[in-house]
Amino acid sequence: MKISWQGISNHADRKQWEEKGYFLPKYDRKQMVKATKEQPFWIHFGAGNLFRAFHAVVAENLLNEGKLDRGILVAEGYDYEIIEKIYMPHDNLSIAVTLKADGTMDKRVVGSVAEAISLDSENDMAFWRLKEVFAKDSLQMATFTITEKGYSLTNAKGEFLKDVAADFAAGPEKPVSYMGKVASLLYARYCAGKKPIAMVSTDNCSHNGDKLYAAVLAFAKEWTEKEKTDAGFQNYINSKKVSFPWSMIDKITPRPDASVEKILQKDGVEGSEPIVTSKNTYIAPFVNAEETEYLVIEDDFPNGRPKLEEGKILFTDRETVEKVERMKVCTCLNPLHTCLAIFGCLLGYKKISDEMQDRALVKLVETVGYQEGLLAVVHPGILDPKEFIDTVLKVRIPNPFMPDTPQRIATDTSQKLAVRFGETIKAYQASEVLKVDDLQMIPFVFAGWLRYLMAVDDNGESFELSSDPLLEVLCPQMEKIKLGDMEVEEVEKAVKPLLENTEIFGVNLYEVGMADKVCGYLKELTEGVGAVRRALEKYLVEK
């Protein structure tokens, strides 16, 4: 059983796949690929696991149901090896494995990707092809899953990144930066007749459409002012012909798991082994993900769009998207994940689902979610916040078949706290009923994160921190604190510069009256070996 077009196309091979419980493409894939290449309507940037488990499967289902006649083009601009070593050897096919909470598994071969291209301006053929795609009348939308960092043009000091600065100066011919390349493709569309398109970020970050817009506009502005492009390019980006809708996406898609790989191998699937690229991307010919998924998109598509609502994508207005996004990112999922990531690392957990057997950690996320966060949520209408949290805490996170790790989720935590907790604090500040002083566990989580930055677990053993762009700033600050009986004044002196940092927490914790509480908790969490467990029991179990 080979993951290739030849490996699924003849009757005998199809029968073998189906006998092993795999769903296979029901449509004429050869015709689909031809039609998609000739008249592409959807291109996606970011060829990783979330795209393969969500967007590609949505298109696959609609193709199987006869509701689409064309598939997706995918472009990868960060790690070209994904295209070279995962897509190309398997004829752009992949296996999507859905891990259900009841222990069952949905296995399907996904063929909706018609073409996979490296977003590489040094590859003349690939970049020419992408410009050709962007010049097509038929192209309606470009979607993105490139992570929040993909839209960034500056470093931690606010300075333009080297590649970005070089692209500003050189113009759109052969940009090197990710957003420079995207802007160059939009310029190709502008030159082809100022054609309309929706540029849809589906990354898991707040106001994602604005982040994409700001990055593209920065290039259009620089290039226009430097006369590297036609004078009207900036106006085109700002016109109604180019939209940058907001969206909210939610689907847990951890790295390919060894247990899933073994199941595929037992089924007889050949060549399913994961690879690690030179850029340290861990990827495989298969992707494993949870069953629950949400994608809510602002319905602003200047060149029209397919009926993706028939694939269970929700389309609505921007105000509703914002409410849904705030509900999820600020309260109902992401903050709870961060709680488990921080304390999971400190307590030595390797799976998020295992943490949901820990009564103190369960009480922690229940308190942060139901008792503190939910009070500040504005009901978005199309999704119910309490039902959302119920699903998160009773079905999604406890799913023992989901191999997600606290170490993965702890990545870039300094970039997440301002949204995942700071927005709730701001909502309490603005409320006539809620009081910031009533928040008890959010400051406890802040203290837990500072304790985590010491890179010493609750047993006193060193561990490796997950990657974070601010580690070089944060870790030296936390080196001033050692496990042992420190006075709270010493603790405060060490962390004061961090607690005042609105970029990290979204608010100045001194100004909102939360700093003393954080310092008090941190003192307890650093009192010695076992202090983290004792504090969790004290505030969440014995209480």
Side-chain angles (χ1 to χ4, degrees):
M1 293 168 60
K2 295 182 179 180
I3 313 169
S4 67
W5 177 238
Q6 184 177 358
I8 68 165
S9 57
N10 67 62
H11 178 73
D13 288 332
R14 289 184 68 88
K15 184 177 180 181
Q16 189 176 10
W17 281 95
E18 289 168 347
E19 286 175 349
K20 295 292 185 179
Y22 290 80
F23 294 96
L24 299 179
K26 298 178 181 178
Y27 49 91
D28 184 335
R29 188 168 185 267
K30 186 176 180 180
Q31 176 58 34
M32 181 278 289
V33 170
K34 181 176 182 292
T36 305
K37 288 184 176 181
E38 291 175 353
Q39 297 294 320
F41 74 94
W42 182 0
I43 186 168
H44 183 88
F45 292 91
N49 292 334
L50 180 55
F51 163 72
R52 296 161 71 212
F54 200 160
H55 309 67
V57 173
V58 167
E60 180 75 7
N61 292 338
L62 292 175
L63 283 164
N64 282 330
E65 294 167 10
K67 295 175 180 177
L68 282 181
D69 62 354
R70 289 165 292 164
I72 309 174
L73 278 65
V74 66
E76 173 56 39
Y78 172 71
D79 194 336
Y80 307 140
E81 288 182 60
I82 294 175
I83 302 297
E84 298 163 4
K85 296 181 178 180
I86 294 296
Y87 280 81
M88 292 176 64
H90 301 288
D91 300 326
N92 299 330
L93 299 174
S94 64
I95 297 176
V97 180
T98 302
L99 306 170
K100 302 182 180 182
D102 63 4
T104 61
M105 189 178 288
D106 176 295
K107 302 175 291 188
R108 62 186 60 233
V109 176
V110 177
S112 59
V113 175
E115 189 174 2
I117 311 165
S118 294
L119 178 60
D120 181 4
S121 59
E122 293 298 318
N123 182 330
D124 292 339
M125 186 176 294
F127 207 52
W128 174 85
R129 172 57 180 153
L130 288 168
K131 286 183 177 180
E132 181 184 49
V133 170
F134 264 75
K136 294 276 189 178
D137 290 346
S138 59
L139 188 64
Q140 295 176 312
M141 61 184 189
T143 52
F144 295 76
T145 51
I146 60 175
T147 77
E148 186 169 2
K149 289 185 288 187
Y151 307 102
S152 179
L153 306 186
T154 58
N155 60 22
K157 298 178 181 178
E159 303 163 336
F160 283 115
L161 299 170
K162 183 179 178 181
D163 287 347
V164 171
D167 288 347
F168 280 168
E173 290 305 310
K174 280 197 171 185
V176 178
S177 65
Y178 206 125
M179 283 294 104
K181 288 180 278 191
V182 171
S184 176
L185 295 177
L186 274 173
Y187 186 56
R189 190 163 184 79
Y190 167 83
C191 292
K194 304 176 185 178
K195 296 174 181 177
I197 189 171
M199 304 292 287
V200 190
S201 169
T202 59
D203 272 297
N204 181 22
C205 55
S206 179
H207 298 178
N208 45 21
D210 285 354
K211 288 179 169 59
L212 175 55
Y213 165 71
V216 169
L217 181 63
F219 281 94
K221 185 173 183 292
E222 289 285 337
W223 288 344
T224 301
E225 289 178 354
K226 290 182 171 67
E227 299 183 348
K228 299 292 183 180
T229 61
D230 185 89
F233 181 46
Q234 183 178 346
N235 292 334
Y236 169 69
I237 298 301
N238 279 322
S239 74
K240 292 184 179 180
K241 288 189 174 183
V242 184
S243 68
F244 296 87
W246 293 3
S247 73
M248 187 285 287
I249 192 166
D250 185 15
K251 187 177 182 74
I252 300 171
T253 311
R255 61 189 271 178
D257 188 67
S259 64
V260 176
E261 180 191 352
K262 289 179 181 177
I263 290 171
L264 300 187
Q265 290 176 342
K266 186 177 179 181
D267 287 342
V269 177
E270 299 177 30
S272 60
E273 299 81 9
I275 66 164
V276 180
T277 70
S278 59
K279 288 196 171 182
N280 211 33
T281 303
Y282 193 98
I283 195 163
F286 69 92
V287 58
N288 41 244
E290 66 170 340
E291 183 176 17
T292 304
E293 60 187 24
Y294 307 93
L295 179 52
V296 184
I297 303 177
E298 178 187 356
D299 200 357
D300 185 5
F301 290 76
N303 201 28
R305 63 169 177 80
K307 293 182 178 180
L308 296 179
E309 58 266 41
E310 295 182 0
K312 299 181 181 179
I313 294 176
L314 300 174
F315 291 90
T316 184
D317 55 67
R318 174 169 288 199
E319 182 181 0
T320 303
V321 173
E322 180 171 30
K323 290 176 181 177
V324 171
E325 186 262 330
R326 289 176 65 87
M327 177 198 77
K328 177 233 175 182
V329 175
C330 304
T331 305
C332 296
L333 173 63
N334 296 40
L336 312 183
H337 252 159
T338 294
C339 293
L340 295 172
I342 290 168
F343 287 97
C345 290
L346 287 171
L347 296 174
Y349 283 103
K350 300 302 180 185
K351 288 180 67 176
I352 287 289
S353 58
D354 289 344
E355 293 186 66
M356 296 303 286
Q357 304 301 314
D358 187 317
R359 60 178 185 169
L361 296 182
V362 170
K363 185 65 175 177
L364 173 65
V365 290
E366 287 178 346
T367 303
V368 171
Y370 292 117
Q371 296 180 27
E372 297 189 350
L374 197 57
L375 296 178
V377 169
V378 177
H379 198 301
I382 58 174
L383 293 173
D384 181 80
K386 185 179 181 302
E387 290 179 5
F388 195 99
I389 295 185
D390 287 343
T391 303
V392 167
L393 295 184
K394 296 175 183 178
V395 178
R396 300 176 66 185
I397 295 178
N399 183 347
F401 305 100
M402 274 295 295
D404 212 355
T405 69
Q407 291 74 23
R408 182 189 78 86
I409 296 169
T411 301
D412 300 336
T413 301
S414 72
Q415 310 298 292
K416 300 170 179 176
L417 296 174
V419 173
R420 298 188 178 189
F421 300 99
E423 291 303 309
T424 293
I425 296 171
K426 290 176 186 177
Y428 271 67
Q429 279 186 293
S431 173
E432 295 180 359
V433 178
L434 304 173
K435 297 179 181 179
V436 174
D437 196 51
D438 290 337
L439 295 171
Q440 300 297 322
M441 286 300 101
I442 287 178
F444 184 79
V445 173
F446 288 164
W449 176 63
L450 295 170
R451 170 68 180 81
Y452 158 87
L453 290 172
M454 294 171 66
V456 176
D457 66 21
D458 202 31
N459 291 323
E461 302 292 332
S462 298
F463 67 90
E464 183 178 353
L465 296 174
S466 301
S467 63
D468 190 303
L470 293 187
L471 287 184
E472 292 182 2
V473 176
L474 298 167
C475 292
Q477 205 69 31
M478 293 308 300
E479 285 176 359
K480 299 173 184 178
I481 299 179
K482 307 295 181 185
L483 284 188
D485 193 13
M486 293 182 67
E487 296 294 330
V488 71
E489 292 79 12
E490 295 178 274
V491 171
E492 181 181 8
K493 184 178 179 181
V495 299
K496 185 176 181 182
L498 304 182
L499 302 187
E500 293 174 328
N501 192 326
T502 59
E503 293 294 319
I504 294 176
F505 295 103
V507 293
N508 182 319
L509 296 182
Y510 283 93
E511 292 179 357
V512 300
M514 193 176 283
D516 287 347
K517 199 173 290 183
V518 174
C519 290
Y521 285 140
L522 182 56
K523 178 187 182 304
E524 292 186 63
L525 294 170
T526 57
E527 285 179 347
V529 172
V532 174
R533 172 58 67 186
R534 288 194 296 273
L536 285 166
E537 296 291 325
K538 173 182 175 181
Y539 292 108
L540 292 158
V541 179
E542 298 170 3
K543 186 177 179 180

